Amino acid sequence: MFTDVLGSKSKIAAGALLLAIIPSAVFAHVRWFTDPNDPALATFPTYSLTDTHVLVWIGISLVMILAAIALDGRLPRISIVDTKYRHDAIQLLRIFTGISLLLTAYSGALIAPHMVAYGGLGTTLLFAQAILGIMLMANLFIHHAAILLILLVLGTMVQYGFLKGLEYINFIGIALYLFFNFVPDQNLRMKLKPYSVDTLRIFTGIAFITLGVTEKITGAVLGQSFVDYYNWNFMQMLGFEWFTDQLLVLSAGAVEVTMGIILVLGVVTRLTIIAISAVMFASNIAFLLMGLNEPALVEFVGHMPLIATAILLMLLGYGQRLKVDNPTLNKPKSPTLATTPAE
């Protein structure tokens, strides 16, 4: 039992570290490939806010967030890449987002494979999504495509509810990033462009926070069903037999929420993105090693906008304007510091 090992701080720390670096389905999309209407889900246990496991993870998350703030500004300063690579990163974001939207529309779903379009509104949004995907891939009217992408997310919220739409609000971050960089009015573009990376980072962080809560904390039974079916509780394989499927899913959600908060704050952005990217890559490789090629493809298509976002943030850092600064650092007042992304 977890309560029997609370006194072993080293094991708890080791478990937290392993969750961040060992291949797992921490960031599995499409509702854990599980039917939410399956009556068997009722057999899986759930946590309440006052349970020991939940309180421990709240404490671990707070420590991780405070540590990230403390480290920010103390790490080696990394300059942003030159114009050519910035341009390439933007094109990758545009193309990967377009491919993901087009393939998802081809499957009959809105934004994510589990949100199957239905009714007149759904059909309209489906065609709009396909056209949007083509526009992005072909580099046509990008500022108009950005507006259409925002409308697509809002339409998805109307069809599936605000919370499900919020899980993919990173698409609004992508839309705003593209709009800020491609709006035709040069004066307006010069005013908005400095906020483009920050906006992309913050909306991506909000999406991770929402997904962590809805799919792995309040929606923990879906994750438990997935882990049980595919036998993916790697913590038990490593000797932590007390680490139940229920705790694994809770831990995955806590890590995802924590990383989302760190992204929103804009501290140690590159380190956070590297950790997220490693887990996304590992989960896809795990599907392939298990011979689950179709889920691996679905996972990769769903991750394409996130992959492009991750590459862009690794190249450009946290952005130029909106972040939390480490209060313990005495930074010299310089006009260049406000506009130079750095870790």
Side-chain angles (χ1 to χ4, degrees):
M1 294 294 294
F2 186 81
T3 53
D4 295 332
V5 295
L6 277 177
S8 177
K9 296 181 180 179
S10 61
K11 284 191 175 183
I12 294 176
L17 179 62
L18 285 168
L19 280 169
I21 62 176
I22 298 292
S24 69
V26 173
F27 296 101
H29 277 214
V30 298
R31 293 288 173 185
W32 294 94
F33 302 98
T34 302
D35 182 5
N37 299 315
D38 187 349
L41 294 179
T43 63
F44 292 100
T46 57
Y47 285 117
S48 65
L49 183 62
T50 56
D51 284 338
T52 302
H53 311 74
V54 177
L55 295 176
V56 168
W57 262 113
I58 290 174
I60 293 173
S61 297
L62 288 174
V63 170
M64 291 173 66
I65 293 167
L66 292 175
I69 295 174
L71 281 173
D72 189 59
R74 299 184 183 277
L75 298 175
R77 193 178 184 87
I78 302 174
S79 301
I80 62 175
V81 297
D82 59 30
T83 303
K84 177 184 182 303
Y85 291 107
R86 288 201 299 270
H87 177 269
D88 291 344
I90 294 175
Q91 301 312 313
L92 186 69
L93 179 67
R94 171 181 61 77
I95 294 169
F96 270 32
T97 302
I99 292 173
S100 179
L101 291 172
L102 183 60
L103 291 178
T104 304
Y106 179 77
S107 70
L110 301 174
I111 297 180
H114 67 275
M115 293 193 290
V116 178
Y118 64 89
L121 175 62
T123 301
T124 301
L125 292 173
L126 200 63
F127 278 104
Q129 180 174 306
I131 293 171
L132 173 58
I134 294 171
M135 290 172 66
L136 291 175
M137 292 169 60
N139 197 21
L140 297 172
F141 310 108
I142 297 302
H143 64 291
H144 290 113
I147 296 172
L148 183 58
L149 181 53
I150 294 174
L151 294 176
L152 175 65
V153 175
L154 294 178
T156 302
M157 288 182 176
V158 171
Q159 179 146 88
Y160 277 95
F162 175 76
L163 200 56
K164 285 189 178 180
L166 195 65
E167 294 175 352
Y168 296 94
I169 202 168
N170 60 298
F171 280 94
I172 289 186
I174 292 172
L176 292 174
Y177 179 85
L178 294 174
F179 183 82
F180 290 172
N181 280 276
F182 288 94
V183 60
D185 188 318
Q186 184 175 355
N187 292 330
L188 181 59
R189 185 168 66 251
M190 294 302 295
K191 291 179 181 178
L192 295 177
K193 195 173 181 178
Y195 295 93
S196 60
V197 177
D198 305 78
T199 303
L200 179 65
R201 168 180 53 79
I202 290 170
F203 277 89
T204 301
I206 294 172
F208 276 123
I209 294 169
T210 308
L211 283 165
V213 171
T214 59
E215 290 196 353
K216 301 171 185 70
I217 297 179
T218 60
V221 293
L222 297 173
Q224 290 181 64
S225 174
F226 176 90
V227 172
D228 177 68
Y229 183 81
Y230 290 106
N231 192 27
W232 268 24
N233 193 335
F234 63 91
M235 294 297 288
Q236 292 182 353
M237 299 176 190
L238 293 171
F240 296 88
E241 295 184 1
W242 48 268
F243 217 101
T244 63
D245 293 351
Q246 183 185 14
L247 180 56
L248 179 70
V249 176
L250 170 68
S251 303
V255 170
E256 190 163 357
V257 169
T258 302
M259 289 188 174
I261 292 172
I262 292 173
L263 275 182
V264 170
L265 295 178
V267 294
V268 294
T269 298
R270 288 187 172 99
L271 285 179
T272 305
I273 283 297
I274 289 172
I276 291 173
S277 301
V279 176
M280 287 194 298
F281 177 76
S283 67
N284 203 258
I285 291 298
F287 274 125
L288 292 174
L289 291 176
M290 295 172 65
L292 301 171
N293 296 333
E294 185 175 349
L297 178 60
V298 172
E299 182 87 342
F300 177 73
V301 170
H303 281 163
M304 288 183 77
L306 290 174
I307 292 169
T309 297
I311 292 172
L312 195 148
L313 291 178
M314 281 191 282
L315 293 176
L316 301 184
Y318 59 73
Q320 300 184 12
R321 292 290 188 272
L322 308 173
K323 73 177 295 289
V324 171
D325 290 319
N326 184 342
T328 65
L329 294 179
N330 294 320
K331 295 184 178 180
K333 294 182 179 180
S334 168
T336 61
L337 289 178
T339 59
T340 304
E343 291 297 280

